[in-house]
Amino acid sequence: SLSWMFTEWALRKRPSVLGIISGAIAGLVTITPGAGYVDTTGAFIFGLLAGPVCYFAAQLKHWFGFDDALDAFGIHAPAGVLGGVLTGFFATETVTGEGSGIRGIFYGDDGMQLVRQLYGIGVSIAWSSVVTLILLKGVDATMGLRVAVEDELIGLDMAVHGTTMAPSWWDSEAAKMLDTSHKSRMSG
């Protein structure tokens, strides 16, 4: 969380609450593959690297033009891969049990644990890609992947659920005031 915040602060000149939350999620996803294999030193390094790696990965949506409003892919995919790779370096028998033979390169392994981790990452990517493609094709064939442009313009809350998330007191005058206030803050 802090490493994402400092990365964002250095590049955008200010941190954001969403960035801090995204950094926390990135840290949790990164430690998941190594949770039963690394000690606190390894966990610290996992978290330290998770922030900047996932911050930059989340920016790829701007370069490639894909839709990832909540950075779900931009955080989870690189964080999972990073955690898997780092486990190949930081796994230690003090956590896995003396004599278990599960240890990373930094704890005397010859690289086989890293090879196992990379194999697992590859299988996970292949499985996820194939299953996602099948599901997307199934949804597209039955109900379509996109909503009508008109539905997007009136908002999916209204189009799909018949209601809006705006409070009942919200009217066009309040919206105009807020919009004007927001624009003046952003320009000044």
Side-chain angles (χ1 to χ4, degrees):
S1 187
L2 290 176
S3 62
W4 180 302
M5 182 189 78
F6 287 124
T7 301
E8 186 175 39
W9 205 340
L11 296 172
R12 294 194 175 180
K13 307 301 181 225
R14 65 178 176 196
S16 69
V17 173
L18 181 60
I20 293 168
I21 294 167
S22 295
I25 293 168
L28 291 169
V29 174
T30 302
I31 193 57
T32 298
Y37 300 93
V38 301
D39 58 15
T40 54
T41 303
F44 177 79
I45 294 170
F46 277 45
L48 190 66
L49 294 175
V53 167
C54 293
Y55 175 83
F56 288 113
Q59 305 314 306
L60 293 176
K61 68 182 176 187
H62 302 297
W63 295 338
F64 293 109
F66 60 87
D67 185 13
D68 190 12
L70 298 176
D71 295 327
F73 179 82
I75 292 172
H76 288 80
V81 170
L82 178 64
V85 170
L86 290 177
T87 300
F89 287 93
F90 288 97
T92 174
E93 285 186 328
T94 59
V95 176
T96 63
E98 294 299 325
S100 68
I102 301 173
R103 58 185 188 273
I105 291 173
F106 294 154
Y107 292 93
D109 188 52
D110 60 0
M112 281 312 298
Q113 185 61 39
L114 180 60
V115 169
R116 288 185 201 101
Q117 295 298 125
L118 293 172
Y119 176 77
I121 291 166
V123 169
S124 296
I125 290 170
W127 172 262
S128 300
S129 299
V130 169
V131 171
T132 299
L133 181 64
I134 292 168
L135 291 172
L136 285 173
K137 291 295 185 181
V139 169
D140 193 31
T142 56
M143 57 193 261
L145 290 175
R146 302 284 307 187
V147 297
V149 173
E150 298 80 23
D151 291 343
E152 283 190 43
L153 291 174
I154 65 168
L156 292 181
D157 288 334
M158 185 58 71
V160 176
H161 305 293
T163 188
T164 180
M165 289 300 295
S168 60
W169 53 264
W170 192 267
D171 60 17
S172 60
E173 288 304 313
K176 286 179 192 172
M177 286 174 34
L178 182 62
D179 187 49
T180 303
S181 170
H182 176 71
K183 285 180 182 173
S184 67
R185 279 197 315 256
M186 295 307 285
S187 63

